[in-house]
Amino acid sequence: MTYDTIIVGGSFAGLSAALYLARARRSVLVLDTGKPRNRFATASHGFFAQDGSDPKVMLDTMRGQVAVYPTVKFRDQKALEVERNGDAFKVVLADGEVVTGSKLLLAFGVSDILPDIPGIAERWGKTVIHCPYCHGYEFSEKRLGVLNLTPVSVHQASLIPEWGPTTFFLNGAPIAPDAKITLEQRGVAIEPEPVVGLIGEGSDLTAVRLGNGSELPLDALFIGPMSRFNSDIAERLGCAIDQGPLGSIVTVDEMKATSIPDVYAAGDITRMGHTVTFACADGVMAALAIHRSLAFGGQ
Ligand SMILES: Cc1cc2nc3c(=O)[nH]c(=O)nc-3n(C[C@H](O)[C@H](O)[C@H](O)COP(=O)(O)OP(=O)(O)OC[C@H]3O[C@@H](n4cnc5c(N)ncnc54)[C@H](O)[C@@H]3O)c2cc1C
């Protein structure tokens, strides 16, 4: 059969779209490899009615609610290749199956490229965090740090004093005089030494180890890493892509249509600010656009 829509990525954006399309009585196939970006965190914050919930429980609940609708099917498979085939798209799955859909929604998310510093990866989403609105409150008035990774890091460091006393770790890099003044005005301490390791039991953080051998006590380290798409399908379809300061972004209009007809995109791959709320809203918007296009034609 040809599905009305194939959704690549069954997490917050993809499942939100699937729910709306299902409620519009359209056939949907959701492809998912089960690796949502926030899987490293034990609690998700800021999404109403779910503040503090386990993200896995949230997604299991969402998927369960979508699965009730008879027009939705799931395959826990990676979408490997996509090509247009007349009026439809042919999607090749990792197990070799080929599925066909009239519309395509890309919601495959991004992955964070963590700095190669011992102790960061195992604390990611717990005491090494990126979004203060998601996880800053839990570290209110604790000893906070920001690691200098990209030009955006200065902005991040100037924001974090809202949550507690902040040190900006230059990590061996220079700092522009105007950035230094901005941070000093915000009361941010500046540490020039490179960070060579993180210290603490398990995923706890008690200090960072510096290149000169000293240790600086710390409870949480904020980082703003670069990210990359989880799939190259958007590029291979020829979708227009913008370069954001922290990674690529699929260009979409306000209805989440990409530059390629019948291809829509939603969630982290389409924006700079990344939250569950935005991803769900994007999925809903894309579903409305897809449904209108299915009903009336056009993009
Ligand atoms: C550590 C951490 C903590 C966070 N905490 C919060 C928080 O507290 N509150 C908040 O609002 N936001 C939080 N976020 C942000 C939030 O995780 C993202 O904004 C949200 O997950 C984006 O949803 P998405 O559906 O766009 O992508 P994702 O949730 O990343 O889902 C993409 C899905 O697509 C699948 N996929 C990828 N490639 C393919 C393919 N080729 N074929 C099939 N499936 C594929 C993946 O396996 C995954 O299931 C956090 C992020 C991180 C990194």
Side-chain angles (χ1 to χ4, degrees), residues 144-148 153 156-157 160 166-170 221-223:
L144 308 176
V146 176
L147 185 63
N148 187 23
S153 301
Q156 192 182 26
I160 298 304
T166 305
T167 302
F168 185 46
F169 294 94
L170 290 183
L221 180 65
F222 286 84
I223 63 174

Side-chain angles (χ1 to χ4, degrees), residues 47-81:
F47 187 64
F48 255 128
Q50 296 290 338
D51 191 38
S53 297
D54 180 335
K56 180 170 177 353
V57 174
M58 287 167 72
L59 280 171
D60 287 349
T61 305
M62 289 171 70
R63 183 161 162 155
Q65 292 182 348
V66 174
V68 166
Y69 292 83
T71 56
V72 181
K73 299 280 176 271
F74 291 91
R75 295 267 195 294
D76 292 333
Q77 285 291 323
K78 180 173 186 168
L80 280 186
E81 283 169 37

Side-chain angles (χ1 to χ4, degrees), residues 7-15 30-47 51-53 55 58-59 75-81 93 106-112 124-126 128-131 133-135 229-233 266-271 273-280 282:
I7 300 178
V8 181
S11 178
F12 298 100
L15 289 174
V30 180
L31 306 173
D32 189 45
T33 47
K35 291 188 173 164
R37 187 172 172 205
N38 60 356
R39 65 189 180 281
F40 304 96
T42 50
S44 170
H45 293 100
F47 187 64
D51 191 38
S53 297
M58 287 167 72
L59 280 171
R75 295 267 195 294
D76 292 333
Q77 285 291 323
K78 180 173 186 168
L80 280 186
E81 283 169 37
L93 310 188
L106 307 179
F108 47 70
V110 303
S111 290
D112 298 283
W124 179 229
K126 296 160 185 91
V128 176
I129 48 187
H130 73 308
C131 168
Y133 302 100
C134 302
H135 303 290
F229 289 161
N230 287 325
S231 163
D232 62 1
I233 285 175
D268 283 2
I269 61 171
T270 62
R271 55 169 58 255
H274 295 158
T275 72
V276 166
T277 311
F278 285 147
C280 291
D282 284 349

Side-chain angles (χ1 to χ4, degrees), residues 203-276:
S203 60
D204 285 350
L205 180 64
T206 52
V208 294
R209 183 169 294 119
L210 301 174
N212 61 9
S214 65
E215 291 177 8
L216 200 141
L218 210 67
D219 298 301
L221 180 65
F222 286 84
I223 63 174
M226 298 293 292
S227 64
R228 60 176 151 70
F229 289 161
N230 287 325
S231 163
D232 62 1
I233 285 175
E235 283 110 328
R236 281 166 50 187
L237 280 166
C239 297
I241 310 277
D242 290 327
Q243 286 313 312
L246 295 179
S248 302
I249 300 168
V250 179
T251 310
V252 287
D253 67 12
E254 66 278 10
M255 296 297 285
K256 312 306 285 186
T258 72
S259 60
I260 300 295
D262 302 316
V263 181
Y264 298 76
D268 283 2
I269 61 171
T270 62
R271 55 169 58 255
M272 266 282 290
H274 295 158
T275 72
V276 166

Side-chain angles (χ1 to χ4, degrees), residues 148 150-151 154 168-177 179-180 183 190-192:
N148 187 23
T150 73
V154 170
F168 185 46
F169 294 94
L170 290 183
N171 206 22
I175 182 166
K180 188 163 183 280
L183 293 181
I190 297 176
E191 171 52 63

